[in-house]
Every structure is written in C-alpha cells, then in structure tokens.
Amino acid sequence: KNQVEQSPQSLIILEGKNCTLQCNYTVSPFSNLRWYKQDTGRGPVSLTIMTFSENTKSNGRYTATLDADTKQSSLHITASQLSDSASYICVVSRSNDYKLSFGAGTTVTVRA
Amino acid sequence: DTGVSQDPRHKITKRGQNVTFRCDPISEHNRLYWYRQTLGQGPEFLTYFQNEAQLEKSRLLSDRFSAERPKGSFSTLEIQRTEQGDSAMYLCASSQGAGLAGGSTDTQYFGPGTRLTVL
C-alpha cells in the first residue's frame, strides 16, 4: 500500500477558479513534505517544502498546508490559469532515509 | 541551461535490445538519483549515488539494469535485454546534501526524463 495517498485523482476547473488538492501520508518518522508540479512530458518541479514545525507555505498562487498530527497536507491553487494544467505530486521524506515517498499525483486540467 | 539534462528524451527500441541513458546533473550537486515513472503514477526510486558511490539500489532494479557515475559527475543507466514492461519514463534528479544521513531538506531537481518505449 502506498504510504502517500492523494485525492482527487483528477479534476477539471474553469480558468480563474480555485481548487484544493489533498494528500494523506503514513510515512514515519516524518522529516518534510514537498509538493511538486509536473507538466506533461517533463520532470517534476518543486513548489513548496514544509518541515514538521511549519503548517503553511506559499509560492505565488500556490499555498500548501500541513497538519503533522493528522498527517494531512493540502495544496490550494488560487485564481487558476491555463498554465496550471499539470500533475501535482505530494512527496514525503523520512528523517532516517534519503529516499522520497511519492503520491500518484492529482491531474489538474484548467479550461478557458 | 544549468538544470539537470537527460539524453535522449525519447527512445524506441525492440524487445531484447540494450539501451543506455545519460544524465548530467547540476554541476555542484553531489547526489544523483534515478527514478522510473509509469503513466498515472508517481516516480519510483531506482538507485542513488553520492558522488561516485552507488549507495543503494531498489529491488525494482533487476540484474538487467546497471547504473554508473564514474567520476561523480554524469551518470548512465543501462538496460540490457529490454522487455515491454520496461516501457516508462526514466527520471534523473540531483541535489546537494551533506553527509550520508537521510531526511535531508535538500531539494531534488529533476531532469526532463527519457521516455522509453519497448516494442
């Protein structure tokens, strides 16, 4: 069973609207959580990183939250643009391991 | 361009053939990772180098797979006797980290990937 679960699997939104992506994890011991954006046919690009003590981090129109107690994170996209169409991957790191645990991603499609 | 580069971007081969991919990391990065990604899934860890030392290989990396990083700079991933199940995107990432301990907050920078199709 994957230790990082993301929902929804995919979503379609209209340009200018907001959306929120969810990530639940069971990875332990926890070190940090990242959100990556992956355009089709490209490698993932880091958007945000949060450690145990951080509960929110923003990068432009992207805002990530972290609840380390419930092991949940969200990524909120504000005022979506066509260029936001991509897969968004939640990635969790253990404190005793350099390997990353990846979610399957949420595919976001923004339509005009 | 000072990012991670990979070559080729696309490779189509017949089953049974050997293929080799190259990754050039960001020049000052000491850590290099190979991942495999299939459609609709997140990347899966294959192997990790710190400088020229290959420190870990995933169980996904069968004996048909071999990776090298001879001078601690670029890396190659070779797949021998390719099978249709090897069809995937092969991603390389690099980072700058200190020591061998895990849980580092160093960000992994990914290359564009090599898409392999085995016919």
Side-chain angles (χ1 to χ4, degrees):
Chain A
K1 187 179 185 303
N2 196 355
Q3 296 186 61
V4 181
E5 298 286 346
Q6 293 188 242
S7 62
Q9 185 176 9
S10 63
L11 64 92
I12 300 172
I13 58 173
L14 293 177
E15 189 177 12
K17 299 297 185 182
N18 305 335
C19 68
T20 300
L21 287 52
Q22 300 293 338
C23 173
N24 296 339
Y25 64 91
T26 58
V27 175
S28 181
F30 175 83
S31 174
N32 58 77
L33 184 147
R34 295 174 171 88
W35 283 93
Y36 278 85
K37 178 186 179 186
Q38 185 174 22
D39 293 316
T40 301
R42 308 288 298 179
V45 175
S46 179
L47 292 175
T48 62
I49 178 172
M50 289 177 292
T51 58
F52 185 89
S53 59
E54 298 173 299
N55 55 24
T56 187
K57 186 72 70 77
S58 291
N59 179 356
R61 295 177 297 99
Y62 301 103
T63 299
T65 65
L66 173 65
D67 185 333
D69 291 331
T70 61
K71 299 186 177 181
Q72 296 179 326
S73 177
S74 67
L75 180 69
H76 186 76
I77 304 176
T78 303
S80 60
Q81 300 177 358
L82 297 178
S83 59
D84 293 331
S85 295
S87 179
Y88 292 84
I89 304 175
C90 177
V91 185
V92 182
S93 175
R94 288 185 183 82
S95 59
N96 60 355
D97 191 354
Y98 48 79
K99 290 194 295 293
L100 304 177
S101 296
F102 291 82
T106 293
T107 300
V108 175
T109 303
V110 181
R111 290 186 174 164
Chain B
D1 186 354
T2 57
V4 179
S5 62
Q6 292 186 244
D7 184 69
R9 293 292 310 278
H10 304 275
K11 179 70 177 179
I12 300 174
T13 190
K14 293 182 179 179
R15 188 177 54 184
Q17 298 295 306
N18 299 342
V19 294
T20 300
F21 310 142
R22 176 179 171 123
C23 170
D24 286 90
I26 294 172
S27 59
E28 62 268 25
H29 284 182
N30 58 345
R31 295 177 171 176
L32 187 145
Y33 312 78
W34 283 98
Y35 296 88
R36 180 172 69 187
Q37 185 177 27
T38 54
L39 196 62
Q41 299 297 316
E44 297 173 292
F45 171 81
L46 292 179
T47 191
Y48 159 62
F49 290 86
Q50 175 130 334
N51 300 311
E52 67 277 7
Q54 187 175 20
L55 297 186
E56 185 166 349
K57 293 172 58 174
S58 163
R59 285 171 293 182
L60 293 174
L61 220 63
S62 74
D63 56 5
R64 296 185 297 105
F65 289 71
S66 62
E68 296 182 343
R69 194 184 183 197
K71 297 181 180 179
S73 56
F74 74 92
S75 175
T76 58
L77 177 68
E78 181 183 15
I79 308 175
Q80 296 181 328
R81 305 181 302 282
T82 53
E83 302 172 356
Q84 288 184 326
D86 297 332
S87 295
M89 173 79 86
Y90 290 84
L91 292 165
C92 174
S94 71
S95 68
Q96 178 63 30
L100 297 176
S104 66
T105 55
D106 55 300
T107 298
Q108 293 186 24
Y109 294 85
F110 286 81
T114 294
R115 179 163 296 286
L116 172 67
T117 302
V118 181
L119 302 176

